[in-house]
């Protein structure tokens, strides 16, 4: 996919780690990167679509729990 800047190519990455964690993301390619010129024609045919609204709202309690369990919420000074 061609990113909104019209230059960066985004290659979708999805999978599952050996620990069973699913992931989804993008590898970015920029001019001068190996393979960039070969991917550019296809990327131009597939620009990034506008983001769609989520099908349902994010549950803040669940999000907080996930971030806390992943160690990404930072110190809060509160005991659970």
């Amino acid at each position: 996919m061609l990113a909104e800047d019209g230059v960066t190519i985004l290659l979708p990455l999805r999978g599952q780690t050996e620990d069973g964690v699913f992931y989804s993301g993008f590898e970015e390619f920029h001019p001068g990167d190996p393979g960039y010129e070969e991917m550019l024609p296809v990327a131009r045919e597939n620009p990034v679509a506008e983001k769609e609204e989520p099908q349902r709202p994010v549950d803040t309690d669940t999000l907080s729990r996930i971030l806390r369990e992943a160690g990404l919420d930072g110190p809060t000074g509160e005991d659970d």
Side-chain angles (χ1 to χ4, degrees):
M1 292 186 292
L2 193 61
E4 293 174 351
D5 65 8
V7 177
T8 305
I9 296 173
L10 302 173
L11 182 63
L13 300 173
R14 294 180 183 88
Q16 185 176 5
T17 66
E18 292 179 7
D19 298 338
V21 176
F22 290 94
Y23 63 88
S24 176
F26 294 95
E27 183 175 359
E28 294 185 1
F29 290 87
H30 302 277
D33 288 347
Y36 179 86
E37 294 300 324
E38 291 82 13
M39 290 187 281
L40 188 57
V42 174
R44 285 184 176 149
E45 294 174 7
N46 298 292
V48 170
E50 291 185 27
K51 292 183 180 178
E52 297 179 11
E53 289 295 320
Q55 294 180 356
R56 58 182 181 235
V58 174
D59 180 62
T60 55
D61 292 336
T62 302
L63 179 59
S64 295
R65 182 174 44 98
I66 291 169
L67 292 175
R68 185 174 53 253
E69 290 176 2
L72 299 174
D73 63 341
T76 61
E78 298 177 10
D79 291 332
D80 288 87

